[in-house]
C-alpha cells in the first residue's frame, strides 16, 4: 500500500511565510525604540545639562576676559584712576557666580590684589627714585661734564626713556669715577666729586632695586595672564569636549540605526525573494500546471492520466476533485460527440435524397425559409427528364432509378461546386446558380441537356430513343432583395413548362 504524501494547509504556509517578517519587524521595532530612547535621553541631557554648562562656561569666560582687561589696565595704564577702577572691578567680582570654580577664581582675585600691590609699590619706588634723581641733578650741576638725568615720575614703563636714563647714568658714573681719581683736581672739585660719587652709588642701588622690582612685576604679570588664559582654555575645552562627546555619541547611535535599517532592508529583500520563490513553488506553479491541464483537456477532451500531488492541502483537494471531474466530463464529451455525429447523420439523411445523393426538396424549403431573398446575379435552372413515365412503364422502376442516379452524377460533375443542385420532384431537378450572367445561364442549361443526351441512356418506351431532358431558366436577380428565390423558381418552372 502506497504511503500518502503529507500535505499542509495553505493557512499554515501563510503563517510560515509571514512569521519571519513579523519576527524581523518586532526585532527592528524593539531595536529602533531602544536607540530612539537613547537618542532622546542624550538629547535631553545635552539640552538640560551640557548646553546650560556651556552657556555658564561662556559667561565665566566673559568674566575671565574682564579680569584679563583689568590686569592689562593695572599693568599698562598711567592713569591711576583707571588702575583703581580696574582693581575694584576685579575685587568686587562675585565668586558664587563661578560655581564650581570658586576656589580658582578666589585664587585669581588674591593674585590680582597682590599684582595691584606690586604695581603700587613699583610706583612708590619710582617716585622716590624721581626725587633722588632731582637731588643728584642739583649736585651734578657744579660739574662741567655732568649730563642731567631725566626721569618721568608717573610713568610705569617707557622702554626708550628707561634706556636713555640707564645710558646717561652709566656715562655720568664712568666720568665721575674717572674725574675723581685725577691728581690735578682741586679740593673743592674733589669735594663735589665725592658727594656726587656717593649720591650716584646710592642712586645705583635704588635703580637696581627698581629694575629688580620691575622684572618681578613683569614676571608676575606674564604668569598671571598666562594662567588666566590657560584656565579659560581649560574651561572651554572641558565643556566643549563634553558637548562634542555627547553629539558624537548621538551620531554613533544614529549611524547604528542606519546600519540596522540597511541590514533590515537587505534581509527583507532576501526574505521577499525567498517567499516569492516559495509562493511560486507551492502555489503559483501548481495552479499554473492545473490550468495547463485544464486547457489541454479543453483542447483534446481527453482527461490527464493523473494530476500530480502537491504540498498544499487545498491544491491537493482541488486535484483530487478534478481527476474524477475530468473523467466524467470526458465521458460526457464522448457521448455528446456521438450524439452530434448521429444528429449530423440524421440531418444529412433528412436533407439528402437517398437515391441521387443530391439535396432534396426539404433542403430547398429550408433554404427558402432561412434566406428567402435572392442574391444579386443569382438564377434558377429547372430540369425535367422527358417521358420518364414511359421509361418506368416499359423498363421498370429499377431502371428508372438507375437513370436518375446517372443523371445526378453528371449534374454534380458538370455544375460548379459553389452552385446548389436539388432533386425537386420525381424526375425534376432544381439548380441554383450564383454569380452568373444571363447569357451564361442559357449556355449552362443547353450544355447540361447535351451532356445528358450524350449518355445514350435508352428509353424503350420511345422506341429505344435516348433519354433527354428539358430545361427552363429564370432571369438573374438584379440586386439583393429585389426578387425572392420562389420568384426565380416560378420563372424557371414556367420556362420549363414552355420547353416541354
Amino acid at each position: 500500500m502506497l504511503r500518502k504524501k503529507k500535505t499542509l494547509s495553505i493557512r499554515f504556509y501563510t503563517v510560515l511565510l509571514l512569521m519571519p517578517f513579523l519576527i524581523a519587524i518586532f526585532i527592528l521595532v524593539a531595536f529602533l525604540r531602544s536607540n530612539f530612547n537613547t537618542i532622546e535621553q542624550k538629547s535631553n541631557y545635552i539640552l538640560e545639562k551640557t548646553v546650560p554648562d556651556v552657556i555658564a562656561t561662556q559667561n565665566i569666560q566673559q568674566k575671565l576676559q574682564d579680569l584679563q582687561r583689568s590686569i592689562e589696565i593695572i599693568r599698562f595704564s598711567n592713569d591711576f584712576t583707571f588702575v583703581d577702577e580696574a582693581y575694584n572691578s576685579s575685587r568686587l567680582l562675585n565668586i558664587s557666580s563661578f560655581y564650581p570654580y570658586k576656589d580658582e577664581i578666589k585664587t585669581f582675585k588674591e593674585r590680582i590684589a597682590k599684582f595691584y600691590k606690586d604695581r603700587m609699590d613699583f610706583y612708590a619706588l619710582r617716585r622716590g627714585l624721581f626725587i633722588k634723581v632731582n637731588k643728584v641733578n642739583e649736585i651734578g650741576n657744579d660739574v662741567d661734564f655732568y649730563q642731567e638725568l631725566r626721569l618721568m615720575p608717573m610713568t610705569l614703563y617707557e622702554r626708550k626713556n628707561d634706556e636713555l636714563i640707564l645710558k646717561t647714568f652709566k656715562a655720568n658714573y664712568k666720568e665721575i669715577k674717572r674725574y675723581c681719581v685725577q691728581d690735578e683736581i682741586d679740593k673743592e672739585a674733589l669735594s663735589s666729586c665725592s658727594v656726587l660719587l656717593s649720591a650716584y652709588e646710592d642712586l645705583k642701588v635704588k635703580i637696581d632695586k627698581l629694575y629688580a622690582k620691575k622684572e618681578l612685576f613683569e614676571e608676575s604679570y606674564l604668569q598671571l595672564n598666562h594662567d588666566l588664559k590657560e584656565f579659560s582654555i581649560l574651561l572651554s575645552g572641558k565643556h566643549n569636549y563634553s558637548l562634542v562627546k555627547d553629539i558624537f555619541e548621538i551620531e554613533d547611535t544614529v549611524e547604528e540605526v542606519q546600519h540596522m535599517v540597511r541590514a533590515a532592508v537587505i534581509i527583507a529583500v532576501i526574505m521577499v525573494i525567498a517567499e516569492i520563490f516559495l509562493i511560486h513553488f507551492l502555489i503559483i506553479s501548481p495552479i499554473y500546471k492545473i490550468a495547463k491541464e485544464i486547457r489541454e483537456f479543453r483542447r483534446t477532451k481527453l482527461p490527464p492520466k493523473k494530476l500530480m500531488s502537491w504540498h498544499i492541502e487545498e491544491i491537493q483537494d482541488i486535484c483530487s476533485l478534478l481527476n474524477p471531474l475530468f473523467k466524467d466530463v470526458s465521458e460526457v464529451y464522448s457521448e455528446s460527440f456521438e450524439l452530434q455525429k448521429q444528429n449530423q447523420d440524421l440531418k444529412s439523411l433528412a436533407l439528402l435524397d437517398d437515391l441521387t445523393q443530391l439535396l432534396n426538396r426539404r433542403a430547398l424549403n429550408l433554404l427558402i425559409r432561412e434566406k428567402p431573398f435572392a442574391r444579386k446575379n443569382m438564377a434558377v435552372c429547372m430540369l425535367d427528364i422527358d417521358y420518364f413515365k414511359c421509361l418506368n412503364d416499359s423498363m421498370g422502376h429499377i431502371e428508372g432509378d438507375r437513370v436518375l442516379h446517372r443523371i445526378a452524377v453528371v449534374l454534380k460533375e458538370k455544375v460548379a461546386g459553389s452552385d446548389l443542385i436539388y432533386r425537386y420532384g420525381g424526375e425534376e431537378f432544381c439548380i441554383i446558380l450564383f454569380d452568373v450572367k444571363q447569357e451564361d445561364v442559357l449556355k449552362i442549361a443547353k450544355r447540361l441537356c447535351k451532356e445528358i443526351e450524350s449518355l445514350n441512356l435508352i428509353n424503350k418506351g420511345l422506341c429505344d430513343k435516348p433519354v433527354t431532358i428539358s430545361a427552363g431558366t429564370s432571369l438573374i436577380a438584379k440586386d439583393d432583395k429585389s426578387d425572392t428565390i420562389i420568384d426565380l423558381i416560378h420563372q424557371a418552372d414556367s420556362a420549363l413548362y414552355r420547353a416541354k
Side-chain angles (χ1 to χ4, degrees):
M1 185 175 180
L2 293 175
R3 185 179 178 183
K4 187 177 179 181
K5 189 172 182 179
K6 187 176 181 180
T7 59
L8 297 173
S9 170
I10 195 170
R11 290 187 293 273
F12 174 81
Y13 282 106
T14 302
V15 173
L16 185 65
L17 293 174
L18 291 179
M19 187 60 68
F21 266 122
L22 297 176
I23 294 173
I25 291 173
F26 176 78
I27 294 173
L28 180 62
V29 169
F31 177 81
L32 292 177
R33 184 176 180 181
S34 174
N35 282 276
F36 284 150
N37 289 337
T38 302
I39 293 172
E40 184 179 7
Q41 291 174 1
K42 290 182 178 179
S43 300
N44 291 335
Y45 178 80
I46 290 175
L47 292 175
E48 296 173 1
K49 176 64 178 172
T50 307
V51 172
D53 287 349
V54 171
I55 294 173
T57 300
Q58 290 177 346
N59 293 332
I60 293 174
Q61 287 179 322
Q62 182 63 42
K63 293 177 181 179
L64 290 176
Q65 290 178 359
D66 293 340
L67 288 178
Q68 284 182 311
R69 281 194 292 272
S70 298
I71 293 171
E72 296 292 331
I73 292 172
I74 294 172
R75 167 65 180 82
F76 291 104
S77 178
N78 293 324
D79 188 341
F80 283 90
T81 302
F82 288 160
V83 172
D84 291 339
E85 288 178 356
Y87 170 66
N88 290 329
S89 175
S90 65
R91 188 170 58 85
L92 295 174
L93 193 64
N94 188 6
I95 297 177
S96 61
S97 62
F98 288 89
Y99 182 84
Y101 306 103
K102 293 191 296 183
D103 294 339
E104 289 83 351
I105 300 302
K106 182 179 180 181
T107 302
F108 279 120
K109 287 183 67 176
E110 292 173 352
R111 291 176 65 183
I112 292 173
K114 184 177 181 304
F115 181 69
Y116 174 76
K117 182 177 179 302
D118 292 340
R119 169 72 169 85
M120 293 297 103
D121 291 345
F122 182 78
Y123 170 71
L125 287 174
R126 196 174 186 96
R127 184 70 179 174
L129 183 62
F130 173 76
I131 296 171
K132 186 67 176 178
V133 166
N134 288 337
K135 290 181 179 180
V136 170
N137 287 335
E138 289 177 0
I139 298 172
N141 287 333
D142 296 332
V143 181
D144 294 338
F145 61 83
Y146 183 77
Q147 299 180 24
E148 184 178 359
L149 294 175
R150 296 185 181 277
L151 180 68
M152 298 296 292
M154 299 298 290
T155 302
L156 177 64
Y157 178 65
E158 290 185 357
R159 187 178 183 85
K160 291 183 179 180
N161 185 52
D162 287 352
E163 288 178 354
L164 181 61
I165 290 172
L166 292 175
K167 184 178 179 181
T168 305
F169 177 82
K170 289 178 181 180
N172 287 340
Y173 192 45
K174 183 178 179 181
E175 287 295 324
I176 290 170
K177 287 196 294 184
R178 186 182 62 79
Y179 180 77
C180 290
V181 296
Q182 290 181 1
D183 295 335
E184 63 273 9
I185 187 171
D186 56 22
K187 291 182 179 181
E188 185 178 353
L190 181 60
S191 176
S192 298
C193 182
S194 298
V195 173
L196 186 60
L197 182 59
S198 176
Y200 254 76
E201 288 177 352
D202 184 52
L203 183 61
K204 180 178 182 300
V205 172
K206 291 182 179 297
I207 288 175
D208 291 341
K209 186 177 180 181
L210 175 67
Y211 281 95
K213 188 71 174 178
K214 180 179 179 181
E215 288 179 2
L216 292 175
F217 180 71
E218 288 295 328
E219 289 178 2
S220 176
Y221 162 73
L222 293 175
Q223 188 63 42
L224 182 58
N225 194 41
H226 175 267
D227 291 344
L228 274 173
K229 288 181 180 179
E230 287 292 324
F231 183 65
S232 178
I233 292 171
L234 177 64
L235 286 179
S236 176
K238 179 179 180 181
H239 291 286
N240 286 341
Y241 171 77
S242 177
L243 178 61
V244 171
K245 179 184 177 182
D246 292 337
I247 292 174
F248 280 166
E249 288 178 354
I250 292 176
E251 288 181 351
D252 292 340
T253 306
V254 171
E255 190 173 353
E256 288 179 5
V257 172
Q258 290 176 344
H259 290 327
M260 185 64 181
V261 171
R262 291 194 193 98
V265 170
I266 293 172
I267 293 172
V269 170
I270 294 173
M271 292 175 65
V272 166
I273 294 173
E275 293 188 1
I276 289 174
F277 172 77
L278 290 175
I279 291 172
H280 175 80
F281 175 75
L282 296 174
I283 300 175
I284 297 177
S285 180
I287 293 175
Y288 173 78
K289 291 181 179 180
I290 292 172
K292 183 179 178 182
E293 294 291 349
I294 293 174
R295 287 194 298 270
E296 185 66 19
F297 172 73
R298 183 179 179 184
R299 185 180 66 84
T300 63
K301 306 300 185 294
L302 297 174
K305 294 181 179 179
K306 187 178 181 181
L307 290 175
M308 57 189 300
S309 59
W310 304 97
H311 299 279
I312 303 295
E313 182 179 348
E314 288 79 1
I315 296 178
Q316 185 63 35
D317 292 341
I318 293 172
C319 293
S320 62
L321 293 173
L322 283 176
N323 282 320
L325 182 62
F326 280 147
K327 184 177 179 181
D328 295 341
V329 173
S330 179
E331 292 175 355
V332 171
Y333 268 121
S334 298
E335 294 175 359
S336 175
F337 180 75
E338 290 297 328
L339 290 174
Q340 288 178 358
K341 185 177 179 182
Q342 293 174 7
N343 186 45
Q344 188 65 31
D345 292 341
L346 291 174
K347 186 176 180 181
S348 298
L349 291 173
L351 299 179
L352 289 179
D353 179 63
D354 187 53
L355 175 62
T356 61
Q357 294 299 305
L358 297 175
L359 294 171
N360 58 22
R361 182 71 172 267
R362 185 181 291 106
L364 179 60
N365 292 335
L366 181 62
L367 175 65
I368 292 171
R369 187 167 58 250
E370 293 178 353
K371 299 179 181 179
F373 289 97
R375 286 164 46 182
K376 184 179 179 180
N377 296 328
M378 177 190 288
V380 174
C381 178
M382 298 292 291
L383 303 175
D384 183 75
I385 302 174
D386 298 329
Y387 306 106
F388 187 69
K389 186 175 182 303
C390 295
L391 188 147
N392 277 334
D393 292 342
S394 61
M395 301 178 68
H397 287 282
I398 293 176
E399 185 63 24
D401 291 344
R402 189 179 71 83
V403 170
L404 287 171
H405 182 265
R406 290 290 303 279
I407 291 174
V409 171
V410 172
L411 292 178
K412 286 191 285 188
E413 290 178 354
K414 302 303 179 181
V415 174
S418 59
D419 298 333
L420 300 175
I421 308 172
Y422 297 90
R423 185 180 178 188
Y424 193 71
E427 68 273 16
E428 282 187 276
F429 299 93
C430 177
I431 303 175
I432 298 179
L433 305 172
F434 296 95
D435 297 324
V436 293
K437 297 179 181 179
Q438 190 64 55
E439 57 270 22
D440 293 335
V441 176
L442 296 175
K443 290 178 181 179
I444 291 170
K446 291 178 181 180
R447 179 165 53 83
L448 293 176
C449 289
K450 289 180 181 180
E451 291 289 343
I452 299 302
E453 188 177 359
S454 66
L455 291 176
N456 291 321
L457 298 173
I458 303 301
N459 187 348
K460 292 182 179 182
L462 292 177
C463 300
D464 295 334
K465 289 183 178 181
V467 175
T468 59
I469 63 172
S470 298
T473 63
S474 70
L475 298 174
I476 64 171
K478 298 300 182 182
D479 52 41
D480 295 340
K481 298 186 179 181
S482 63
D483 298 298
T484 63
I485 296 176
I486 294 176
D487 293 336
L488 297 182
I489 291 173
H490 288 165
Q491 293 177 21
D493 198 42
S494 298
L496 174 64
Y497 180 75
R498 291 194 296 272
K500 295 290 284 186

